[in-house]
């Protein structure tokens, strides 16, 4: 069996979370914003088209885009439903934005998004004074009647950047102040971006507050590479026999880099070769080389910093020595799919010993070759995580819906094939 040697540089696309926020802030700013390296993927297009439906002149996404802002309360009622596609970030962040506007908006989404919980954003927005109607008490379609919001102090029962951001954006648009606390720190891109545009944002432990804001300055931003996309190539390098992969320009915000810390604990060499700061976000080049991987334990406190990478950790665990335990991650059950059920069922179908826990999973590693067909449930991160395992020589893994990667990483398979010299869709 040929051994996998990796080398060279993989430039992954722009960060998805920062791309959504850059478009939203550009739409709400005064003046003309410039956004470079925005992620050109289906999820970010959903945010662009929702903003477009609300009257913002958002151009077709490209390497550099220019957006003429409408000001903080300048959006217009849409004449159509706001279709968020597969994107939870679009639905939840835009719910906050429209809640601050005195008109009615209706949100819809695809089958997966229509199953996901929305009450978590409806509750604080109602507490601020918006009227929110959900389907079956919890889901999309969701109708929001906004305007005249009051300030809020909200204690969130989960670490969710989408909930925190919805509240902050609603307060921003309404010109009131808001304070949100959460049990663990979730990604803080909204806070960093608003602060860099002149808003009064304060962080105190696990609480963040936003002072009443009159206007937002236009942005001039380079979106850094997405650590969640870089993670797949870091994992590939860790699983290889020899060599290393360089991942330049990656967002190294500590609320997003839990996966790289875990990869280091599993034994791989993960080095930050150069680090700088751009637009309030730490950015740097990662160099990852292989190692004999060991099992790892991940608990609640660490989960928010690698929530989207847990399927990939489980796939790595299948090749690591010992038993990996992931707990405190019940949020995985309400992502684009039930990622606990989907990951465990797929690992088992490949012959890996794995068990579901209510809030996580257990995976026992081995060196056996893995063969089978992966049911992605149209979930991009399931497809890509198992795609990495499938790229290891000897494994024969077919992913049932490779195209679902388009929501976050449209040319993932081409990049993977290039990094491994394997043809697509093995
Ligand atoms: C995101 C926040 C996370 C993450 C999602 C993107 C964001 O979700 O899983 O992929 O951009 O704010 P939660 O806020 O629901 O944890």
């Amino acid at each position: 069996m040929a051994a996998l040697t990796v080398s060279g540089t993989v430039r992954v696309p722009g960060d998805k979370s920062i791309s959504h926020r850059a478009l939203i802030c550009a739409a709400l700013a005064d003046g003309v914003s410039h956004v470079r390296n925005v992620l050109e993927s289906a999820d970010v297009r959903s945010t662009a088209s929702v903003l477009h439906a609300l009257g913002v002149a958002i151009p077709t996404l490209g390497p550099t885009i220019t957006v003429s802002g409408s000001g903080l309360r300048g959006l217009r009622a849409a004449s159509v439903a706001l279709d968020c596609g597969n994107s939870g970030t679009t639905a939840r962040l835009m719910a906050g934005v429209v809640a601050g506007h005195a008109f009615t908006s209706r949100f819809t989404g695809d089958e997966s998004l229509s199953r996901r919980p929305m009450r978590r954003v409806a509750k604080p927005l109602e507490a601020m004074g918006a009227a929110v109607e959900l389907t079956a008490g919890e889901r999309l379609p969701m109708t929001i009647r906004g305007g005249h919001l009051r300030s809020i102090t909200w204690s969130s029962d989960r670490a969710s950047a989408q909930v925190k951001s919805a509240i902050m954006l609603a307060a921003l648009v309404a010109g009131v102040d808001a304070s949100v606390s959460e049990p663990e720190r979730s990604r803080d891109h909204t806070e960093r971006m608003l602060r860099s545009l002149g808003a009064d944002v304060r962080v105190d432990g696990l609480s963040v507050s936003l002072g009443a804001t009159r206007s937002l300055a236009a942005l001039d931003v380079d979106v850094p590479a997405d650590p969640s996309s870089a993670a797949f190539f870091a994992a590939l390098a860790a699983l290889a026999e020899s060599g290393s992969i360089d991942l330049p320009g990656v967002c190294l915000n500590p609320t997003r880099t839990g996966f790289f810390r875990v990869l280091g604990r599993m034994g791989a060499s993960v080095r930050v070769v150069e680090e700088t700061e751009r637009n309030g976000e730490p950015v740097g080049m990662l160099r990852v080389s292989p190692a004999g991987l060991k099992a790892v334990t991940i608990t609640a406190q660490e989960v928010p910093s690698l929530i989207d990478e847990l399927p990939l950790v489980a796939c790595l665990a299948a090749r690591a020595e010992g038993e990996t335990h992931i707990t405190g991650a019940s949020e995985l059950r309400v992502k684009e799919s039930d990622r606990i059920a989907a990951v465990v069922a797929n690992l088992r179908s490949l012959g890996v010993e794995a068990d579901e826990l209510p809030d996580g999973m257990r995976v026992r590693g081995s060196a056996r070759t893995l063969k089978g067909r992966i049911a992605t449930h149209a979930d991009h991160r399931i497809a890509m995580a198992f795609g990495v395992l499938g790229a290891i020589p000897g494994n024969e893994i077919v992913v049932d819906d490779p195209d679902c990667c388009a929501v976050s990483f449209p040319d993932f398979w081409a990049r993977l094939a290039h990094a491994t010299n394997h043809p697509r869709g093995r």
Side-chain angles (χ1 to χ4, degrees):
M1 194 189 304
L4 178 63
T5 298
V6 288
S7 64
T9 298
V10 182
R11 285 177 197 282
V12 303
D15 185 72
K16 183 153 79 71
S17 293
I18 297 177
S19 294
H20 285 295
R21 288 157 173 80
L23 294 185
I24 292 171
C25 288
L28 298 176
D30 281 343
V32 176
S33 291
H34 302 282
V35 184
R36 291 171 291 279
N37 198 39
V38 70
L39 171 63
E40 296 176 52
S41 81
D43 268 13
V44 181
R45 278 195 199 95
S46 292
T47 290
S49 82
V50 165
L51 287 167
H52 189 261
L54 291 163
V56 184
I58 293 266
T60 307
L61 301 186
T64 301
I65 60 165
T66 300
V67 179
S68 209
S70 305
L72 278 186
R73 275 178 292 280
L75 302 186
R76 290 197 311 262
S79 56
V80 292
L82 303 175
D83 181 0
C84 302
N86 191 246
S87 175
T89 309
T90 305
R92 299 195 179 116
L93 269 57
M94 288 306 302
V97 171
V98 299
H101 283 82
F103 53 68
T104 299
S105 311
R106 182 175 157 83
F107 289 81
T108 59
D110 72 4
E111 216 182 295
S112 149
L113 186 58
S114 302
R115 281 193 301 265
R116 297 181 64 188
M118 293 295 152
R119 192 132 191 80
R120 53 183 62 193
V121 286
K123 268 169 66 181
L125 296 178
E126 283 170 340
M128 294 176 84
V132 185
E133 261 172 52
L134 293 164
T135 301
E138 175 62 297
R139 303 185 201 289
L140 298 186
M142 164 171 72
T143 302
I144 301 185
R145 215 159 355 105
H148 308 298
L149 302 187
R150 17 178 205 277
S151 61
I152 185 171
T153 298
W154 189 256
S155 172
S156 194
D157 53 5
R158 57 177 58 79
S160 166
Q162 294 179 351
V163 172
K164 177 176 62 177
S165 300
I167 297 168
M168 291 178 77
L169 289 169
L172 174 78
V173 169
V176 299
D177 46 49
S179 161
V180 186
S181 61
E182 42 185 4
E184 313 289 347
R185 186 180 305 290
S186 65
R187 64 192 65 190
D188 62 356
H189 305 300
T190 304
E191 296 88 304
R192 286 174 187 253
M193 193 173 286
L194 291 181
R195 189 185 289 125
S196 78
L197 302 178
D200 172 20
V201 177
R202 290 170 204 209
V203 178
D204 178 11
L206 295 172
S207 286
V208 50
S209 59
L210 172 72
T213 306
R214 287 241 183 91
S215 63
L216 212 56
L219 299 74
D220 188 1
V221 65
D222 279 301
V223 178
D226 194 324
S228 297
S229 298
F232 297 110
F233 292 91
L236 181 74
L239 288 168
E241 207 54 48
S242 58
S244 69
I245 290 183
D246 282 353
L247 297 155
V250 176
C251 178
L252 297 178
N253 179 324
T255 63
R256 294 290 302 285
T257 48
F259 174 77
F260 304 108
R261 291 187 285 275
V262 164
L263 200 55
R265 288 215 300 277
M266 293 179 90
S269 157
V270 183
R271 284 197 293 140
V272 177
V273 178
E274 49 198 47
E275 188 168 356
T276 176
E277 190 170 307
R278 281 208 312 253
N279 310 107
E281 294 279 356
V283 175
M285 179 159 97
L286 293 170
R287 177 166 297 159
V288 186
S289 343
L293 296 179
K294 301 184 296 283
V296 72
T297 297
I298 296 170
T299 55
Q301 202 186 2
E302 198 169 23
V303 162
S305 69
L306 79 166
I307 182 74
D308 294 336
E309 288 67 72
L310 288 172
L312 183 59
V313 172
C315 286
L316 284 169
R319 302 281 293 201
E321 193 192 326
E323 188 168 281
T324 289
H325 288 235
I326 300 171
T327 54
S330 54
E331 276 294 303
L332 286 180
R333 295 210 180 267
V334 290
K335 292 293 179 187
E336 286 82 331
S337 67
D338 175 342
R339 288 182 174 161
I340 295 177
V343 165
V344 169
N346 280 313
L347 285 174
R348 285 180 165 202
S349 79
L350 297 176
V352 178
E353 273 181 54
D355 295 298
E356 285 190 35
L357 303 171
D359 62 344
M361 61 190 96
R362 263 194 307 256
V363 180
R364 198 157 186 72
S366 82
R368 72 168 74 103
T369 53
L370 304 175
K371 296 188 181 167
R373 186 177 170 82
I374 299 306
T376 58
H377 304 276
D379 184 334
H380 57 137
R381 302 218 189 268
I382 302 287
M384 293 187 278
F386 283 91
V388 169
L389 265 190
I392 305 307
N395 288 351
E396 287 173 30
I397 296 176
V398 176
V399 169
D400 70 353
D401 178 15
D403 294 342
C404 67
C405 301
V407 307
S408 67
F409 197 162
D411 61 354
F412 170 76
W413 297 105
R415 303 288 183 93
L416 186 65
H418 189 255
T420 58
N421 292 319
H422 288 164
R424 184 195 155 145
R426 295 158 11 94

